[in-house]
Amino acid sequence: MKLARFVLVLGIGGCAAGSSGDSAEEIAGKLSIPGALFEYTAEGSGIPCVVFTGSENIGRALYTDELRQHIKFIHADPSNLGPEELKTLTLDDVIEDIERVRATLNIDKIAVMGHSMFGPVPLEYALKYPEHTLGSIVTGALPRTTTEALQAADEYWESSASEDRKAIREANHAELAEKDRSMASRSDLFWDQYEADVPLRFYDPEFDLTPFRQSLTTIVNMDFVNHFWGVLMREFDHTGDYGAIRTPVLVISGKYDFGAPYFLWEDLEGVMPEFRFHLFEDAGHNPMLEVPREFDRVVVGWIESWN
């Protein structure tokens, strides 16, 4: 079964589709959300959208100024969460925190965006709060994190990655093994590994992540990242519930994202009535970095299609 592709026919123009009134336009800077688990910072204009990328600085670095003209990004940052808070943190707590933001800001409806391991967050919010959901944007994510899905990702790499791509990754890891990283922070260890795995995640197996990494001015909360992926996303599969989602859903994948194979979304074709899927043939896990203009056009075109 093949997914129906979202064929882009709209250019990037002014867009206020789905706007929830003037209140969203007035939101900027650090937000004071009583009782919130995360810290939130708003920037941009357009539809209000809570964004989960792992940290505020990652979210700011991933998206273009052009897209900020169409989306009011409300970045969720977990930097203030410590080990004690994480012991009891659940996915439902995350969803309730998003709802706390919406209610505090007095916005009738919001969009939610989740990238990579945070991909399920927008869909979970839409399931629980459909009356307050503008739409869900999922990028570079797996629809489920079952053992079977992770095995499919391994098999995709083994069967579809070129020998040159595999050799570059092997050389990267060999070079990394030679480095003295005894004094490196956990965040640096993570990004060193991420750079070594560029062939696994990018269309260009030698994509230069240096500018992106240098733009990250604060350390990523690795306790939160490890808890979210290792605990909350372990054997996660709510795809059986997604048929209840009646609000717009956009899923974006890259053909060269060997860690989150695009074809695993095929089972959801027709399950959600407002489901749209876009596959970038020349991108991987982070199309917003590899093909930013095209990425923006897809997202903005999807928003405009609500009218």
Side-chain angles (χ1 to χ4, degrees), residues 6-270:
F6 179 29
V7 181
L8 182 68
V9 295
L10 297 171
I12 297 182
C15 175
S19 176
S20 295
D22 294 335
S23 59
E25 295 301 319
E26 298 168 359
I27 301 166
K30 290 290 183 182
L31 306 179
S32 177
I33 311 295
L37 295 170
F38 301 94
E39 296 178 345
Y40 293 91
T41 304
E43 60 166 349
S45 59
I47 67 164
C49 182
V50 175
V51 184
F52 274 83
T53 56
S55 78
E56 175 193 335
N57 61 343
I58 292 177
R60 285 180 176 271
L62 280 178
Y63 306 108
T64 67
D65 289 339
E66 180 70 36
L67 197 55
R68 286 177 174 84
Q69 296 179 31
H70 304 274
I71 294 177
K72 170 73 72 174
F73 287 97
I74 303 174
H75 301 285
D77 194 310
S79 59
N80 60 327
L81 289 176
E84 289 304 313
E85 292 92 344
L86 291 172
K87 285 180 181 178
T88 58
L89 183 71
T90 67
L91 185 56
D92 193 61
D93 292 333
V94 174
I95 304 309
E96 287 303 309
D97 219 51
I98 299 173
E99 175 58 13
R100 188 176 290 112
V101 171
R102 184 207 63 78
T104 301
L105 299 179
N106 196 29
I107 300 173
D108 183 42
K109 292 186 178 183
I110 59 171
V112 182
M113 178 187 291
H115 179 59
S116 191
M117 71 176 73
F118 306 102
V121 172
L123 300 175
E124 295 299 305
Y125 183 83
L127 276 173
K128 189 163 186 181
Y129 292 103
E131 72 277 15
H132 294 305
T133 300
L134 277 173
S136 307
I137 307 171
V138 180
T139 62
L142 290 161
R144 60 184 71 85
T145 57
T146 59
T147 298
E148 181 183 18
L150 298 179
Q151 288 175 344
D154 290 339
E155 292 168 4
Y156 183 43
W157 168 260
E158 292 301 328
S159 65
S160 299
S162 69
E163 292 306 313
D164 286 345
R165 181 177 291 273
K166 291 176 181 177
I168 292 171
R169 186 186 181 204
E170 184 177 347
N172 289 349
H173 279 266
E175 182 179 350
L176 185 60
E178 293 297 319
K179 290 183 178 179
D180 179 8
R181 299 195 293 162
S182 59
M183 302 300 291
S185 68
R186 293 172 66 193
S187 182
D188 283 336
L189 292 174
F190 171 83
W191 287 111
D192 286 347
Q193 183 75 28
Y194 200 90
E195 288 186 321
D197 280 333
V198 158
L200 186 73
R201 296 187 173 95
F202 287 81
Y203 170 74
D204 177 0
E206 296 181 293
F207 186 87
D208 184 9
L209 269 175
T210 304
F212 175 77
R213 184 171 177 176
Q214 290 178 342
S215 71
L216 305 182
T217 55
T218 58
I219 296 175
V220 175
N221 185 342
M222 292 307 302
D223 285 333
F224 170 74
V225 170
N226 291 335
H227 177 80
F228 196 95
W229 178 251
V231 177
L232 304 189
M233 290 294 104
R234 182 179 297 171
E235 292 290 332
F236 180 85
D237 184 4
H238 285 184
T239 54
D241 300 326
Y242 291 163
I245 298 177
R246 293 291 186 267
T247 48
V249 174
L250 173 63
V251 174
I252 296 176
S253 293
K255 186 175 181 179
Y256 288 82
D257 187 353
F258 293 97
Y262 68 93
F263 52 79
L264 293 179
W265 289 96
E266 290 179 352
D267 293 344
L268 294 176
E269 182 184 19

